[in-house]
Amino acid sequence: MKIEVWSDFVCPFCYIGKRRLEHALEQFAHRDEVEVGYKSYELDPEAEVNPGQNIHEYLSSKKGMPFEQAKSMNESLGEQAAEVGLTYNFDTMQHTNTFDAHRVAKYADEKGKGKEMTERLLEAYFTDSELISDHATLIRLASEVGLEEDDVTAMLKVDDYALHVRADEEQARQLDVQGVPFFVFNDKYAVSGAQPQEVFSEVLEKVWEEEKETPTLESLNPKKSKTTYCTDEGCEVIEED
């Protein structure tokens, strides 16, 4: 089974949804046959690299709501995160532009470290209050998951992997993705939002059973017809059942 996940590193529900999916997979009997991949999505492509606001101020101005209301909403999100074992430090969180973080994640994926890089970037933003647009920070985080600092430095100095990020975002538009997280199972089934763990468990079972029952190819030869074909052992005529 293939699962593709569109998400952004500053999306609180993306981290929660990621963890809920992972918990569901831990209980899924066929988890070793599931491959999860992460796709780029920018919630705010115009976000400043250094916005000069804390996350409460950012949400307040973005949504046009009082500061205290924004802070209360963030506290509620923090409680949901804690339920799946995550720590959100909203008071020190540094909201920022995520384009370069997505480029680093794409580079990491090519090097076989995509999952580790995605997890580290989310943790860095939500828990460690790192500025994940800062190149020095990105280089250090990449080195923590086993990537070469010099290679990441060189990649960030130019536009490498920008097209990979844009391709994911274009694919999201084609799929009419309205928000993240957005999960696609086997290019056929979609789940939007940070659904409860039991929903992911149900989807995993449903997709597994339906895909298992669907033949790769369905023969359209008429029944009782004669079929002629050749193999490496010779050619013959057989009658279809």
Side-chain angles (χ1 to χ4, degrees):
M1 187 189 304
K2 178 179 71 172
I3 305 174
E4 293 178 309
V5 186
W6 273 264
S7 63
D8 197 4
F9 300 114
V10 295
C11 164
F13 283 119
C14 291
Y15 204 4
I16 293 171
K18 178 179 184 292
R19 198 59 96 239
R20 287 175 178 170
L21 172 62
E22 290 168 347
H23 288 169
L25 282 168
E26 288 172 3
Q27 299 177 13
F28 184 53
H30 309 286
R31 58 185 173 274
D32 292 339
E33 298 177 66
V34 178
E35 181 62 34
V36 181
Y38 293 92
K39 298 279 193 174
S40 301
Y41 191 98
E42 293 174 274
L43 284 171
D44 187 1
E46 304 302 320
E48 298 288 338
V49 172
N50 295 294
Q53 296 176 307
N54 66 35
I55 192 65
H56 306 308
E57 293 169 336
Y58 172 81
L59 181 61
S60 175
S61 61
K62 182 78 173 177
K63 300 295 186 181
M65 64 176 63
F67 176 86
E68 289 303 322
Q69 182 182 353
K71 187 173 182 180
S72 177
M73 287 179 62
N74 285 332
E75 289 173 351
S76 177
L77 281 171
E79 292 171 0
Q80 292 186 53
E83 291 175 359
V84 291
L86 299 174
T87 300
Y88 282 9
N89 292 313
F90 282 106
D91 289 343
T92 52
M93 205 173 287
Q94 301 186 72
H95 184 82
T96 189
N97 189 285
T98 58
F99 183 67
D100 282 343
H102 281 295
R103 288 204 296 132
V104 170
K106 284 298 175 187
Y107 169 77
D109 190 51
E110 188 175 273
K111 300 297 182 181
K113 294 287 186 177
K115 294 177 184 177
E116 294 87 345
M117 193 74 249
T118 294
E119 176 67 24
R120 187 65 190 97
L121 284 164
L122 287 164
E123 180 186 33
Y125 177 74
F126 285 104
T127 303
D128 301 336
S129 302
E130 301 268 17
L131 184 62
I132 60 170
S133 58
D134 178 70
H135 283 194
T137 298
L138 288 172
I139 293 164
R140 173 171 50 80
L141 295 174
S143 70
E144 289 178 11
V145 302
L147 298 174
E148 293 293 332
E149 288 190 12
D150 290 344
D151 293 339
V152 179
T153 301
M155 183 273 293
L156 283 169
K157 286 182 178 178
V158 291
D159 292 331
D160 286 359
Y161 298 90
L163 291 179
H164 295 68
V165 175
R166 297 305 184 209
D168 282 356
E169 294 173 341
E170 177 57 30
Q171 189 177 3
R173 282 188 286 271
Q174 292 174 1
L175 292 172
D176 196 28
V177 176
Q178 300 296 313
V180 288
F182 190 83
F183 306 81
V184 175
F185 295 74
N186 282 358
D187 298 317
K188 185 177 179 182
Y189 306 91
V191 173
S192 58
Q195 297 291 334
Q197 179 181 330
E198 55 267 26
V199 172
F200 285 116
S201 293
E202 291 172 5
V203 172
L204 288 168
E205 294 293 345
K206 173 183 173 63
V207 173
W208 182 265
E209 289 301 318
E210 289 193 8
E211 292 297 296
K212 185 178 65 174
E213 293 172 0
T214 303
T216 304
L217 291 175
E218 179 181 353
S219 174
L220 297 180
N221 286 10
K223 292 187 180 299
K224 302 301 181 181
S225 66
K226 291 184 177 180
T227 301
T228 56
Y229 64 93
C230 299
T231 69
D232 55 1
E233 297 182 354
C235 301
E236 58 182 316
V237 179
I238 65 169
E239 185 174 299
E240 295 281 350
D241 294 330

